[in-house]
Amino acid sequence: MLFAVKMDVRIPNDLHPDVRADTLAREKAYSQELQREGIWPHIWRCVGQYSNLSVFDVRDNDELHDILWSLPLFPYMEIEVTPLALHPSDIAATGEAA
């Protein structure tokens, strides 16, 4: 199942710098592990925001929920999840040439 996930990060300004650095390092390592496994195939930065728009490829809602809750930055995020389905006009999905 494919999901588009918008993540807005809101790290408190008073978070201790060492905690911030550790959390960001763990977030990067975890997200890159999921990318290598093909679970997190796309991640884009939203210009001018501390946000990203990502696509997750998971077996079900529960797997996505567990992944999101395991993100080290999860306590500092507002997350919006949108389930995705193939579009009948997508030439990449239908194998038609332009």
Side-chain angles (χ1 to χ4, degrees), residues 78-95:
E78 290 182 25
I79 298 175
E80 181 180 327
V81 176
T82 305
L84 301 173
L86 293 177
H87 194 285
S89 296
D90 181 356
I91 62 172
T94 62

Side-chain angles (χ1 to χ4, degrees), residues 37-48:
E37 293 174 3
I39 294 168
W40 195 335
H42 301 285
I43 181 170
W44 294 275
R45 178 173 290 172
C46 298
V47 176

Side-chain angles (χ1 to χ4, degrees), residues 2-77:
L2 296 177
F3 294 89
V5 180
K6 175 114 186 312
M7 295 178 241
D8 298 318
V9 182
R10 301 210 180 357
I11 299 174
N13 291 332
D14 61 350
L15 188 65
H16 190 282
D18 293 340
V19 173
R20 179 186 174 100
D22 176 67
T23 303
L24 291 172
R26 290 184 298 113
E27 179 81 13
K28 182 176 183 177
Y30 182 54
S31 71
Q32 289 181 347
E33 174 187 335
L34 294 171
Q35 290 172 60
R36 285 185 198 94
E37 293 174 3
I39 294 168
W40 195 335
H42 301 285
I43 181 170
W44 294 275
R45 178 173 290 172
C46 298
V47 176
Q49 303 171 44
Y50 195 174
S51 301
N52 74 71
L53 181 60
S54 295
V55 173
F56 286 84
D57 189 356
V58 294
R59 86 182 149 269
D60 56 30
N61 296 339
D62 292 327
E63 182 181 15
L64 180 62
H65 179 81
D66 291 343
I67 288 168
L68 297 177
W69 272 74
S70 297
L71 291 170
L73 282 174
F74 180 81
Y76 312 113
M77 290 183 173

